[in-house]
Amino acid sequence: MLASDIKHKLSRSFITPLGALTPERFEVLKAELAEEAAELLGEEGYEEAAQKLSFEIDLRYMGQSSELTVALPEGKLDAVHRQAIYEAFQRDYQTTYGYNNEEPLEMVCLRLTAVGHLENRLRFEHTKAQLEKTETSQSRRAVYFEREQGYVDTAVVSRAMIDSVPRSGPMIVETYDTTIIIPPWAQVHEDSFGSLIIERSSDNKKPSDEQSVGREA
């Protein structure tokens, strides 16, 4: 709690065709939620400048029983704003279900996420675990990653040997409580929080990827 912002989630149910929703009624709904959020954050000591409000809207095709939540663009509910909401829903519906259609939309609920930004919260950017490096912290092992490769000669290193400089796989990183696998097509480095970040190498593809490309060609 000392390291995070305060967040409240509020909602107001209001079922109506999106095309029939008037700008005046929509602004009233938003204002009611914003007032409630401001009161909550104010009671917790957050001034207006430290408050951030983000609106979302639950929509569905007319006649459906389930809805999707999309981010609400800033601005009043004019024709441009209404079209932006419609297009956002269509994109999310296509992504979620693999298709969309031209049916009219129905609003189900207006949602608000209210965040109070904590000025003097704990910061972990400069906090790191002190890990002792040892000369005996590296060895090698035959590791099986993919059928196409068979066993691969792989470095086994201690967690303390990983720093901010990216190291390419194959690699096994060992700690006292876990084992982390870095495949041949990935890299690993330590971020500013002391966490390990594993990313796929841009110049190193999995053997299965190359075979897939060959089959498609």
Side-chain angles (χ1 to χ4, degrees), residues 100-117:
N100 57 31
N101 58 54
E102 301 301 321
E103 294 293 325
L105 301 185
E106 182 176 54
M107 173 182 169
V108 178
C109 182
L110 181 65
R111 299 183 181 277
L112 172 62
T113 300
V115 178
H117 291 290

Side-chain angles (χ1 to χ4, degrees), residues 140-147 149-157 162 166-173 179-189 196-209:
R140 306 197 70 83
R141 184 185 306 168
V143 179
Y144 193 94
F145 291 97
E146 283 203 292
R147 180 175 58 188
Q149 287 184 312
Y151 285 96
V152 178
D153 184 45
T154 302
V156 181
V157 303
I162 306 300
R167 297 185 59 168
S168 298
M171 186 185 311
I172 294 176
V173 181
T179 300
I180 304 169
I181 307 299
I182 315 300
W185 51 88
Q187 290 183 327
V188 61
H189 71 276
L196 293 189
I197 305 300
I198 302 173
E199 299 176 314
R200 186 163 177 165
S201 303
S202 59
D203 58 346
N204 201 348
K205 295 182 177 181
K206 296 171 59 177
S208 57
D209 292 340

Side-chain angles (χ1 to χ4, degrees), residues 72-190:
L72 189 65
E74 294 185 3
K76 294 186 179 296
L77 190 64
D78 55 17
V80 174
H81 194 245
R82 201 184 301 267
Q83 181 63 25
I85 295 173
Y86 178 82
E87 292 176 356
F89 175 85
Q90 291 287 65
R91 286 193 302 269
D92 287 358
Y93 200 94
Q94 176 72 39
T95 300
T96 303
Y97 298 108
Y99 73 96
N100 57 31
N101 58 54
E102 301 301 321
E103 294 293 325
L105 301 185
E106 182 176 54
M107 173 182 169
V108 178
C109 182
L110 181 65
R111 299 183 181 277
L112 172 62
T113 300
V115 178
H117 291 290
L118 195 63
E119 286 293 332
N120 299 316
R121 64 182 180 181
L122 293 177
R123 302 285 180 177
F124 293 103
E125 291 87 343
H126 306 295
T127 303
K128 293 184 63 176
Q130 297 298 315
L131 302 174
E132 182 179 355
K133 296 179 174 59
T134 64
E135 297 181 358
T136 60
S137 58
Q138 180 167 350
S139 61
R140 306 197 70 83
R141 184 185 306 168
V143 179
Y144 193 94
F145 291 97
E146 283 203 292
R147 180 175 58 188
E148 292 80 4
Q149 287 184 312
Y151 285 96
V152 178
D153 184 45
T154 302
V156 181
V157 303
S158 69
R159 168 65 180 82
M161 296 183 67
I162 306 300
D163 54 24
S164 61
V165 179
R167 297 185 59 168
S168 298
M171 186 185 311
I172 294 176
V173 181
E174 293 185 333
T175 71
Y176 73 93
D177 60 349
T178 190
T179 300
I180 304 169
I181 307 299
I182 315 300
W185 51 88
Q187 290 183 327
V188 61
H189 71 276
E190 184 182 69

